[in-house]
Amino acid sequence: MKATRLGAAGLVAALLGTLVAATPASAATPASAATPASAATPASAAPGAASTATCVTDPATPKRQFRAMWISSVVNIDWPSKASQTDPDRIAAQQAEYRALLDLAERLNHNAVVVQVRPTADALWPSPYEPWSEYLTGVRGQDPGWDPLAFLVAESHRRNLEFHAWFNPYRVSMPAPGGAGADLAQLAPGHPARQHPDWTFAYPPAGVAGSRLYYNPGVPEVREFVQTAMMDAVSRYDIDGVHFDDYFYPYPSGTYQVPDDATFAAYNRGFTDRADWRRDNINLLIQEMSGKIKAAKPWVKFGVSPFGIWRNQTADPLGSDTTGSQSYDIISADTRKWVKQEWIDYVVPQLYWYIGQYPAADYARLVPWWAETVRGTRVQLYIGQADYKSGDAAYGPFWQNPRELSDHLTLNRAYPEVQGNVHFSAVQVRANRLGATDIYAAEHYSRPALVPAMTHLPAKPLLFPVVTRTAREADGVRLTWRQPADGVGPLGTATSYAIYRFDGSTLPGRCGTADAAHLVDTVRATPGGTQSWVDTTAEPGRRYTYQLTALDRSANESPTSPPAFVLR
């Protein structure tokens, strides 16, 4: 036994030496690796990978960019469909629907999905705290006979897509007649809100159109309960991120006031201004949830997708050049503070407006404001895109421009703080009205991309993979490789791999992997030592050179493997 341990330690030491030797501090950019200067930007060094600081890259093929779509379950917007609830084989139908959405994500070279798993104080998993979601079976609280969340996570990871579990913290019901409205008795039997009616309020008031139930954010037991309910999914499932949307205190409806007089009197914590108290209630939710996530699983990311305007300059000199509704005031969401305090890992402002002379909220004014807001913090900025507006006459002539969304992504390139996009929502992305999805995919998502690394999350160094075999097969070129000392001692564990391909028999140099021009795929690590993948796009008879890198849960990348050649 002692000899075995010494052998492993010696192997680790030797390979660590190789890792250091394979990471040059700087080098000249090979002419063959450069792209035209008119379409080039300097690359940033990727954590754990060889420095690419002097490389020239193409902004149309970024190596790292978060790309995702929201998949909404509430009122069966995206998944599962309402029709699936009555399918003779409901489970198979819902699984097929989800796989089809993942097929779409793969075609668009997305690298993540954001899936709503707690739409209305319910659950898409067997929760010990909350009832089964009605959107699975059509019946509130009915056991669907399977574990959807386990399937959603596994299928996403099989495609090497990050899975961000999207929770709505305080919404309890949707308006009648489709939802329970303000009637507690219409909730699932045993629902916590029925057991604790003092935890809830109706807004707008019962009897008013659109009335629904909310958990009261000002009740300390409520804040603790919703965190416990959500943390159950974090603890039990292999999710990559926790995601909140923009629903905190309810959006105003007419002149109706949120009915929390008694709550403010009982739990004001010394606050004399109710607006400040409400904001602090939401601040506590964000801060405490962040701490609980990191205590349970430090690698799980925490992100929020807020309404796109924090405050206007007319109300606060730190605000944006806009005149629209302010989340700080109307829903008690101090989103700027969450960024500056670094309580979240990423923020996805919903910038659902066009580029143009729109003083309420011009996309071209809000992107630089958000870029400035995250600058100097470790919070990553992705932009929420309104695919649902494209081609819909109800949203005006600007959204009849098939290039509007692609123009958004082009504008984003001017701001390096913008590290990705999330599209609302999956069925709208698939609808491809005006061909808008095709346009932005061709111009911005033509190559795969790695998710941005979060260097503040815990990580260990990774060795480069070692290709053990290349072989021509009927359907392409098969690569076989191993990850040396995977998870041994001070080394990290490979979660996935990036595969780069170059034409001919060449030594690509460190700038060959500086952007995604040669990135052909990313694949999830499989159990066991040997990994394998087939390049189905390789042309018969052509020579190729492949290089691989390993990535950990936080997308930190190893040095590149020695080149592997396919000569015939």
Side-chain angles (χ1 to χ4, degrees), residues 23-196:
T23 311
S26 63
T29 304
S32 61
T35 54
S38 61
T41 56
S44 300
S51 172
T52 57
T54 60
C55 298
V56 178
T57 61
D58 185 348
T61 58
K63 178 170 180 169
R64 292 182 181 270
Q65 186 177 56
F66 190 85
R67 301 172 184 167
M69 55 189 176
W70 279 290
I71 300 177
S72 302
S73 59
V74 69
V75 299
N76 302 101
I77 290 175
D78 295 307
W79 182 90
S81 73
K82 197 165 185 64
S84 72
Q85 296 171 353
T86 55
D87 190 283
D89 194 342
R90 174 176 43 79
I91 296 173
Q94 292 180 352
Q95 291 181 347
E97 287 179 353
Y98 188 71
R99 290 190 180 103
L101 293 178
L102 297 188
D103 290 343
L104 173 64
E106 284 193 303
R107 286 199 302 273
L108 297 175
N109 282 322
H110 285 192
N111 47 35
V113 287
V114 183
V115 185
Q116 192 172 37
V117 300
R118 184 180 182 268
T120 53
D122 50 10
L124 269 67
W125 73 96
S127 168
Y129 302 101
E130 296 184 302
W132 281 106
S133 175
E134 66 186 281
Y135 305 117
L136 293 166
T137 64
V139 179
R140 296 179 194 115
Q142 184 176 95
D143 188 335
W146 63 305
D147 186 341
L149 183 52
F151 170 82
L152 299 173
V153 172
E155 283 297 305
S156 302
H157 285 171
R158 190 168 290 116
R159 317 290 187 100
N160 200 34
L161 296 165
E162 280 198 344
F163 186 92
H164 291 239
W166 168 13
F167 303 89
N168 188 288
Y170 292 123
R171 183 171 60 201
V172 175
S173 67
M174 295 299 286
D183 188 353
L184 284 163
Q186 294 300 311
L187 299 176
H191 195 294
R194 296 180 68 168
Q195 298 173 354
H196 302 277

Side-chain angles (χ1 to χ4, degrees), residues 212-340:
R212 66 185 78 182
L213 293 166
Y214 294 87
Y215 279 131
N216 188 337
V219 177
E221 291 85 359
V222 164
R223 194 174 71 247
E224 178 66 26
F225 172 77
V226 298
Q227 291 178 41
T228 298
M230 295 184 288
M231 284 302 301
D232 179 63
V234 176
S235 300
R236 293 169 54 197
Y237 296 87
D238 190 25
I239 66 174
D240 301 290
V242 168
H243 185 94
F244 287 177
D245 53 22
D246 58 320
Y247 290 100
F248 297 101
Y249 274 88
Y251 279 90
S253 177
T255 59
Y256 297 111
Q257 301 299 307
V258 172
D260 59 359
D261 289 352
T263 311
F264 181 54
Y267 304 113
N268 60 62
R269 299 188 301 280
F271 280 92
T272 57
D273 184 280
R274 191 177 313 196
D276 289 340
W277 169 73
R278 286 179 181 166
R279 277 187 289 273
D280 192 60
N281 291 332
I282 306 303
N283 289 344
L284 288 171
L285 170 74
I286 299 297
Q287 184 180 19
E288 292 169 359
M289 191 68 186
S290 177
K292 288 180 179 180
I293 292 167
K294 293 301 187 283
K297 293 183 176 179
W299 60 89
V300 171
K301 306 168 187 179
F302 182 31
V304 178
S305 174
F307 182 75
I309 299 173
W310 171 67
R311 298 200 89 187
N312 301 314
Q313 281 182 353
T314 53
D316 191 314
L318 297 175
S320 52
D321 184 14
T322 50
T323 61
S325 298
Q326 306 170 107
S327 63
Y328 180 93
D329 299 284
I330 64 170
I331 56 173
S332 307
D334 192 354
T335 53
R336 184 178 183 274
K337 182 170 187 173
W338 308 342
V339 171
K340 295 302 185 183

Side-chain angles (χ1 to χ4, degrees), residues 218-494:
V219 177
E221 291 85 359
V222 164
R223 194 174 71 247
E224 178 66 26
F225 172 77
V226 298
Q227 291 178 41
T228 298
M230 295 184 288
M231 284 302 301
D232 179 63
V234 176
S235 300
R236 293 169 54 197
Y237 296 87
D238 190 25
I239 66 174
D240 301 290
V242 168
H243 185 94
F244 287 177
D245 53 22
D246 58 320
Y247 290 100
F248 297 101
Y249 274 88
Y251 279 90
S253 177
T255 59
Y256 297 111
Q257 301 299 307
V258 172
D260 59 359
D261 289 352
T263 311
F264 181 54
Y267 304 113
N268 60 62
R269 299 188 301 280
F271 280 92
T272 57
D273 184 280
R274 191 177 313 196
D276 289 340
W277 169 73
R278 286 179 181 166
R279 277 187 289 273
D280 192 60
N281 291 332
I282 306 303
N283 289 344
L284 288 171
L285 170 74
I286 299 297
Q287 184 180 19
E288 292 169 359
M289 191 68 186
S290 177
K292 288 180 179 180
I293 292 167
K294 293 301 187 283
K297 293 183 176 179
W299 60 89
V300 171
K301 306 168 187 179
F302 182 31
V304 178
S305 174
F307 182 75
I309 299 173
W310 171 67
R311 298 200 89 187
N312 301 314
Q313 281 182 353
T314 53
D316 191 314
L318 297 175
S320 52
D321 184 14
T322 50
T323 61
S325 298
Q326 306 170 107
S327 63
Y328 180 93
D329 299 284
I330 64 170
I331 56 173
S332 307
D334 192 354
T335 53
R336 184 178 183 274
K337 182 170 187 173
W338 308 342
V339 171
K340 295 302 185 183
Q341 294 294 323
E342 298 182 340
W343 292 336
I344 54 179
D345 297 303
Y346 68 87
V347 64
V348 194
Q350 298 174 26
L351 302 191
Y352 293 170
W353 301 288
Y354 56 79
I355 298 171
Q357 297 304 312
Y358 182 49
D362 184 342
Y363 185 90
R365 296 179 184 181
L366 280 161
V367 168
W369 185 87
W370 280 101
E372 172 62 27
T373 297
V374 303
R375 193 171 298 144
T377 75
R378 66 189 189 189
V379 178
Q380 294 184 354
L381 172 62
Y382 319 139
I383 304 298
Q385 300 293 342
D387 289 53
Y388 72 96
K389 289 186 174 181
S390 181
D392 189 331
Y395 296 107
F398 281 89
W399 290 103
Q400 298 307 304
N401 174 9
R403 297 195 51 80
E404 180 67 27
L405 288 169
S406 189
D407 289 347
H408 288 195
L409 274 57
T410 300
L411 185 149
N412 291 355
R413 292 179 185 173
Y415 301 92
E417 293 83 6
V418 180
Q419 298 190 56
N421 299 278
V422 185
H423 297 266
F424 189 83
S425 65
V427 295
Q428 307 295 338
V429 173
R430 183 171 60 194
N432 190 28
R433 286 188 298 273
L434 307 177
T437 302
D438 289 342
I439 292 171
Y440 71 67
E443 296 182 355
H444 300 278
Y445 300 163
S446 64
R447 307 295 302 173
L450 311 180
V451 298
M454 289 190 174
T455 56
H456 64 279
L457 301 182
K460 296 179 179 180
L462 291 167
L463 299 181
F464 53 74
V466 176
V467 179
T468 56
R469 186 172 182 265
T470 62
R472 288 274 183 187
E473 295 184 351
D475 53 351
V477 172
R478 179 174 294 278
L479 302 181
T480 305
W481 69 92
R482 295 182 67 85
Q483 181 63 26
D486 195 27
V488 174
L491 297 176
T493 300

